[in-house]
Amino acid sequence: MTAQLPATLPITRGCPYAPPDEHRRLRDEAPIQRVTLPSGETAWAITRHEDIRAMLTDPRFSSDRRNPNFPLLVKGQRINTGFRASLIGMDPPEHGPARRKVVGEFTVRRMEALRPRIQEIVDQHIDAMLAGPKPADLVKALSLPVPSLVICEQLGVPYADHEFFQLHSSRLLSRVTPPAERKASIDALRDYLGELIERKAQEPADDLLSRQLDKQDDREELVSLAFLLLVAGHETTANMISLGTMAFLERPEDIRKIQEDPSKTLPAVEELLRYFTIAEFAVSRVAVEDVELGGVLIKAGEGVVPLSNLANRDPDAFDHPEELDIERGARHHLAFGFGAHQCLGQNLARMELQIVFDTLFRRIPGLRPAVPLDSLPFKDDASVYGIHEFPVTW
Amino acid sequence: MRIVADTDLCIGAGQCVLTDPAVFDQDDDGTVVVLVEHPEGGQVDSAREAVKLCPAMALSLQE
Ligand code: SF4
């Protein structure tokens, strides 16, 4: 039996650029070991790149969040919402056909067709930032509205309601939201999306939700999908814009490199995704059979929590892993997960980040932080890492 | 060498298309389409990279 260590997950990052020291210590002691979660439950923490990839492609590990043993990071997360499983909570044979209904909306080609519109949105927000007062909050001026507008237009959700759904998304992703408030946010979003989809059934438009109405007979399943895409489309890319901008501002030579050769931006985005791994706990699973993984026996019914942030700094998978090297060119990081559930919106995220970084530093070459970077309010209290507010000037 | 794609496994993540759009494409439903079945030269490396990156293990090579 593995020794029970008093390790508790998650732990806030000491250094905003790196996984918490306690997580590294876990990895150094044993790459797979039992830990206690804030919910009070225990689970296996997995830290090696190879083990996480093997786990995420092994059907003996389930994504079904209705499983009473599914490991939860947040206390009170196991609330009965009466909500249909969304894509991320489904296993085969249910998952494949459900994902296939929507994945055509996110192909590389379709994302490429969105490029001019995303560029326009980015330019408009930079125009507004330049016309407004200094310092400006990058999060409010750019990081959040750009992905928000893009996902709203794609889904067919009125952006005019953005304050409402941004508030509820951030409550859902905060680890300190009380259970009752969490449930209230879920209900509010579900009711909102249910009504919106009802309106689209009466008056279809040229958007993803209207098109899905033709493919989905199950209205509740569609509400779940809309919910997932709306929430996931917000905080993730937004946080990567803020963190990536911060990293670039500290490294003027890297800004110069992408300005001189824009083909370097996409590999840089890939490296930033690896380096920050903002959804570090996004891919928990529960074993439905006994499985031997990396020399450890995981029993049916036990939860598994991969620490993707450590796996993305696994020296067996990446050379000099603690360095941010925008020319690394390594794409096998796990920032978007792996296996059948790998992020549906990854190519949209890549494109948004690429356009934002190319445009921001070209249009505001004098951009600089308005406060010392180590004083920024980092999101140590959220399931997706990021920055709450980022004052910048130029 | 031949690239084999299991379209039942494909989840449409597009990692293959990003690796080399001259070798891989996706149809309107997101499923992989192999444009060059027998890669040569630099496309051999692309094919190997795509096999490694495909999250659904839908791609393989027959040497
Ligand atoms: S990388 Fe794999 S899953 Fe993704 S589109 Fe290509 S074949 Fe399909």
PDB file of all heavy atoms in Angstrom, chain A residues 292-313:
ATOM      1  N   GLU A 292      -3.801  -1.079 -13.696  1.00  0.00           N
ATOM      2  CA  GLU A 292      -2.440  -0.790 -13.272  1.00  0.00           C
ATOM      3  C   GLU A 292      -1.903   0.346 -14.128  1.00  0.00           C
ATOM      4  O   GLU A 292      -1.904   0.286 -15.352  1.00  0.00           O
ATOM      5  CB  GLU A 292      -1.553  -2.022 -13.404  1.00  0.00           C
ATOM      6  CG  GLU A 292      -0.305  -1.799 -12.567  1.00  0.00           C
ATOM      7  CD  GLU A 292       0.724  -2.897 -12.716  1.00  0.00           C
ATOM      8  OE1 GLU A 292       0.367  -4.072 -12.578  1.00  0.00           O
ATOM      9  OE2 GLU A 292       1.877  -2.533 -12.974  1.00  0.00           O
ATOM     10  N   LEU A 293      -1.500   1.419 -13.466  1.00  0.00           N
ATOM     11  CA  LEU A 293      -1.012   2.595 -14.188  1.00  0.00           C
ATOM     12  C   LEU A 293       0.341   2.978 -13.605  1.00  0.00           C
ATOM     13  O   LEU A 293       0.457   3.183 -12.390  1.00  0.00           O
ATOM     14  CB  LEU A 293      -2.008   3.747 -14.028  1.00  0.00           C
ATOM     15  CG  LEU A 293      -1.693   5.023 -14.816  1.00  0.00           C
ATOM     16  CD1 LEU A 293      -1.916   4.822 -16.306  1.00  0.00           C
ATOM     17  CD2 LEU A 293      -2.536   6.193 -14.324  1.00  0.00           C
ATOM     18  N   GLY A 294       1.353   3.050 -14.455  1.00  0.00           N
ATOM     19  CA  GLY A 294       2.684   3.444 -13.993  1.00  0.00           C
ATOM     20  C   GLY A 294       3.143   2.642 -12.779  1.00  0.00           C
ATOM     21  O   GLY A 294       3.774   3.172 -11.880  1.00  0.00           O
ATOM     22  N   GLY A 295       2.798   1.363 -12.746  1.00  0.00           N
ATOM     23  CA  GLY A 295       3.265   0.494 -11.669  1.00  0.00           C
ATOM     24  C   GLY A 295       2.418   0.559 -10.403  1.00  0.00           C
ATOM     25  O   GLY A 295       2.750  -0.061  -9.404  1.00  0.00           O
ATOM     26  N   VAL A 296       1.305   1.304 -10.455  1.00  0.00           N
ATOM     27  CA  VAL A 296       0.452   1.429  -9.272  1.00  0.00           C
ATOM     28  C   VAL A 296      -0.908   0.822  -9.600  1.00  0.00           C
ATOM     29  O   VAL A 296      -1.435   1.020 -10.697  1.00  0.00           O
ATOM     30  CB  VAL A 296       0.284   2.920  -8.885  1.00  0.00           C
ATOM     31  CG1 VAL A 296      -0.732   3.080  -7.770  1.00  0.00           C
ATOM     32  CG2 VAL A 296       1.626   3.522  -8.497  1.00  0.00           C
ATOM     33  N   LEU A 297      -1.464   0.084  -8.642  1.00  0.00           N
ATOM     34  CA  LEU A 297      -2.789  -0.488  -8.884  1.00  0.00           C
ATOM     35  C   LEU A 297      -3.864   0.502  -8.447  1.00  0.00           C
ATOM     36  O   LEU A 297      -3.955   0.872  -7.281  1.00  0.00           O
ATOM     37  CB  LEU A 297      -2.952  -1.805  -8.115  1.00  0.00           C
ATOM     38  CG  LEU A 297      -4.343  -2.427  -8.295  1.00  0.00           C
ATOM     39  CD1 LEU A 297      -4.563  -2.934  -9.717  1.00  0.00           C
ATOM     40  CD2 LEU A 297      -4.587  -3.547  -7.284  1.00  0.00           C
ATOM     41  N   ILE A 298      -4.656   0.925  -9.407  1.00  0.00           N
ATOM     42  CA  ILE A 298      -5.778   1.814  -9.095  1.00  0.00           C
ATOM     43  C   ILE A 298      -7.033   0.963  -9.130  1.00  0.00           C
ATOM     44  O   ILE A 298      -7.297   0.288 -10.131  1.00  0.00           O
ATOM     45  CB  ILE A 298      -5.824   2.982 -10.099  1.00  0.00           C
ATOM     46  CG1 ILE A 298      -4.539   3.808  -9.919  1.00  0.00           C
ATOM     47  CG2 ILE A 298      -7.070   3.841  -9.897  1.00  0.00           C
ATOM     48  CD1 ILE A 298      -4.360   4.914 -10.898  1.00  0.00           C
ATOM     49  N   LYS A 299      -7.781   0.996  -8.047  1.00  0.00           N
ATOM     50  CA  LYS A 299      -8.928   0.084  -7.940  1.00  0.00           C
ATOM     51  C   LYS A 299     -10.193   0.724  -8.501  1.00  0.00           C
ATOM     52  O   LYS A 299     -10.352   1.949  -8.474  1.00  0.00           O
ATOM     53  CB  LYS A 299      -9.168  -0.251  -6.461  1.00  0.00           C
ATOM     54  CG  LYS A 299      -8.059  -1.061  -5.836  1.00  0.00           C
ATOM     55  CD  LYS A 299      -8.683  -2.238  -5.064  1.00  0.00           C
ATOM     56  CE  LYS A 299      -7.633  -3.165  -4.511  1.00  0.00           C
ATOM     57  NZ  LYS A 299      -6.976  -2.587  -3.330  1.00  0.00           N
ATOM     58  N   ALA A 300     -11.091  -0.120  -8.957  1.00  0.00           N
ATOM     59  CA  ALA A 300     -12.387   0.358  -9.452  1.00  0.00           C
ATOM     60  C   ALA A 300     -13.026   1.232  -8.378  1.00  0.00           C
ATOM     61  O   ALA A 300     -13.016   0.876  -7.202  1.00  0.00           O
ATOM     62  CB  ALA A 300     -13.284  -0.827  -9.765  1.00  0.00           C
ATOM     63  N   GLY A 301     -13.538   2.372  -8.777  1.00  0.00           N
ATOM     64  CA  GLY A 301     -14.210   3.255  -7.816  1.00  0.00           C
ATOM     65  C   GLY A 301     -13.288   4.324  -7.249  1.00  0.00           C
ATOM     66  O   GLY A 301     -13.750   5.199  -6.528  1.00  0.00           O
ATOM     67  N   GLU A 302     -12.007   4.269  -7.579  1.00  0.00           N
ATOM     68  CA  GLU A 302     -11.104   5.294  -7.049  1.00  0.00           C
ATOM     69  C   GLU A 302     -10.964   6.458  -8.030  1.00  0.00           C
ATOM     70  O   GLU A 302     -10.925   6.263  -9.241  1.00  0.00           O
ATOM     71  CB  GLU A 302      -9.740   4.682  -6.724  1.00  0.00           C
ATOM     72  CG  GLU A 302      -9.830   3.741  -5.525  1.00  0.00           C
ATOM     73  CD  GLU A 302      -8.507   3.067  -5.156  1.00  0.00           C
ATOM     74  OE1 GLU A 302      -7.635   2.887  -6.017  1.00  0.00           O
ATOM     75  OE2 GLU A 302      -8.369   2.715  -3.973  1.00  0.00           O
ATOM     76  N   GLY A 303     -10.886   7.637  -7.483  1.00  0.00           N
ATOM     77  CA  GLY A 303     -10.770   8.839  -8.304  1.00  0.00           C
ATOM     78  C   GLY A 303      -9.319   9.109  -8.690  1.00  0.00           C
ATOM     79  O   GLY A 303      -8.398   8.736  -7.969  1.00  0.00           O
ATOM     80  N   VAL A 304      -9.160   9.754  -9.823  1.00  0.00           N
ATOM     81  CA  VAL A 304      -7.831  10.060 -10.329  1.00  0.00           C
ATOM     82  C   VAL A 304      -7.788  11.526 -10.728  1.00  0.00           C
ATOM     83  O   VAL A 304      -8.655  11.993 -11.467  1.00  0.00           O
ATOM     84  CB  VAL A 304      -7.526   9.190 -11.567  1.00  0.00           C
ATOM     85  CG1 VAL A 304      -6.118   9.425 -12.046  1.00  0.00           C
ATOM     86  CG2 VAL A 304      -7.738   7.720 -11.261  1.00  0.00           C
ATOM     87  N   VAL A 305      -6.812  12.244 -10.200  1.00  0.00           N
ATOM     88  CA  VAL A 305      -6.682  13.672 -10.507  1.00  0.00           C
ATOM     89  C   VAL A 305      -5.319  13.930 -11.130  1.00  0.00           C
ATOM     90  O   VAL A 305      -4.305  13.941 -10.437  1.00  0.00           O
ATOM     91  CB  VAL A 305      -6.825  14.526  -9.219  1.00  0.00           C
ATOM     92  CG1 VAL A 305      -6.689  16.000  -9.544  1.00  0.00           C
ATOM     93  CG2 VAL A 305      -8.156  14.258  -8.535  1.00  0.00           C
ATOM     94  N   PRO A 306      -5.260  14.126 -12.434  1.00  0.00           N
ATOM     95  CA  PRO A 306      -3.976  14.397 -13.058  1.00  0.00           C
ATOM     96  C   PRO A 306      -3.563  15.849 -12.826  1.00  0.00           C
ATOM     97  O   PRO A 306      -4.385  16.749 -12.926  1.00  0.00           O
ATOM     98  CB  PRO A 306      -4.241  14.176 -14.545  1.00  0.00           C
ATOM     99  CG  PRO A 306      -5.587  13.565 -14.628  1.00  0.00           C
ATOM    100  CD  PRO A 306      -6.335  13.987 -13.418  1.00  0.00           C
ATOM    101  N   LEU A 307      -2.322  16.047 -12.501  1.00  0.00           N
ATOM    102  CA  LEU A 307      -1.805  17.410 -12.368  1.00  0.00           C
ATOM    103  C   LEU A 307      -1.113  17.783 -13.681  1.00  0.00           C
ATOM    104  O   LEU A 307       0.093  17.613 -13.850  1.00  0.00           O
ATOM    105  CB  LEU A 307      -0.835  17.495 -11.189  1.00  0.00           C
ATOM    106  CG  LEU A 307      -1.434  17.097  -9.834  1.00  0.00           C
ATOM    107  CD1 LEU A 307      -0.444  17.314  -8.709  1.00  0.00           C
ATOM    108  CD2 LEU A 307      -2.690  17.903  -9.559  1.00  0.00           C
ATOM    109  N   SER A 308      -1.917  18.304 -14.593  1.00  0.00           N
ATOM    110  CA  SER A 308      -1.380  18.574 -15.932  1.00  0.00           C
ATOM    111  C   SER A 308      -0.275  19.616 -15.891  1.00  0.00           C
ATOM    112  O   SER A 308       0.611  19.622 -16.747  1.00  0.00           O
ATOM    113  CB  SER A 308      -2.481  19.086 -16.846  1.00  0.00           C
ATOM    114  OG  SER A 308      -3.607  18.274 -16.735  1.00  0.00           O
ATOM    115  N   ASN A 309      -0.326  20.503 -14.914  1.00  0.00           N
ATOM    116  CA  ASN A 309       0.723  21.533 -14.853  1.00  0.00           C
ATOM    117  C   ASN A 309       2.094  20.899 -14.608  1.00  0.00           C
ATOM    118  O   ASN A 309       3.089  21.334 -15.179  1.00  0.00           O
ATOM    119  CB  ASN A 309       0.388  22.598 -13.804  1.00  0.00           C
ATOM    120  CG  ASN A 309       0.112  22.020 -12.430  1.00  0.00           C
ATOM    121  OD1 ASN A 309       0.116  20.804 -12.243  1.00  0.00           O
ATOM    122  ND2 ASN A 309      -0.121  22.873 -11.466  1.00  0.00           N
ATOM    123  N   LEU A 310       2.135  19.847 -13.799  1.00  0.00           N
ATOM    124  CA  LEU A 310       3.411  19.170 -13.581  1.00  0.00           C
ATOM    125  C   LEU A 310       3.792  18.340 -14.798  1.00  0.00           C
ATOM    126  O   LEU A 310       4.958  18.290 -15.190  1.00  0.00           O
ATOM    127  CB  LEU A 310       3.336  18.275 -12.344  1.00  0.00           C
ATOM    128  CG  LEU A 310       3.245  19.009 -11.001  1.00  0.00           C
ATOM    129  CD1 LEU A 310       3.169  17.998  -9.873  1.00  0.00           C
ATOM    130  CD2 LEU A 310       4.440  19.913 -10.797  1.00  0.00           C
ATOM    131  N   ALA A 311       2.801  17.667 -15.380  1.00  0.00           N
ATOM    132  CA  ALA A 311       3.080  16.852 -16.569  1.00  0.00           C
ATOM    133  C   ALA A 311       3.632  17.724 -17.692  1.00  0.00           C
ATOM    134  O   ALA A 311       4.483  17.289 -18.471  1.00  0.00           O
ATOM    135  CB  ALA A 311       1.810  16.151 -17.024  1.00  0.00           C
ATOM    136  N   ASN A 312       3.159  18.963 -17.759  1.00  0.00           N
ATOM    137  CA  ASN A 312       3.649  19.865 -18.798  1.00  0.00           C
ATOM    138  C   ASN A 312       5.040  20.399 -18.474  1.00  0.00           C
ATOM    139  O   ASN A 312       5.619  21.157 -19.255  1.00  0.00           O
ATOM    140  CB  ASN A 312       2.665  21.008 -19.021  1.00  0.00           C
ATOM    141  CG  ASN A 312       1.520  20.576 -19.919  1.00  0.00           C
ATOM    142  OD1 ASN A 312       1.641  19.584 -20.637  1.00  0.00           O
ATOM    143  ND2 ASN A 312       0.422  21.312 -19.885  1.00  0.00           N
ATOM    144  N   ARG A 313       5.550  20.036 -17.332  1.00  0.00           N
ATOM    145  CA  ARG A 313       6.945  20.358 -16.984  1.00  0.00           C
ATOM    146  C   ARG A 313       7.687  19.081 -16.615  1.00  0.00           C
ATOM    147  O   ARG A 313       8.601  19.093 -15.796  1.00  0.00           O
ATOM    148  CB  ARG A 313       6.976  21.351 -15.832  1.00  0.00           C
ATOM    149  CG  ARG A 313       6.412  22.706 -16.256  1.00  0.00           C
ATOM    150  CD  ARG A 313       6.356  23.655 -15.096  1.00  0.00           C
ATOM    151  NE  ARG A 313       5.737  24.910 -15.521  1.00  0.00           N
ATOM    152  CZ  ARG A 313       6.205  26.096 -15.185  1.00  0.00           C
ATOM    153  NH1 ARG A 313       7.275  26.221 -14.447  1.00  0.00           N
ATOM    154  NH2 ARG A 313       5.589  27.186 -15.605  1.00  0.00           N
TER     155      ARG A 313
END
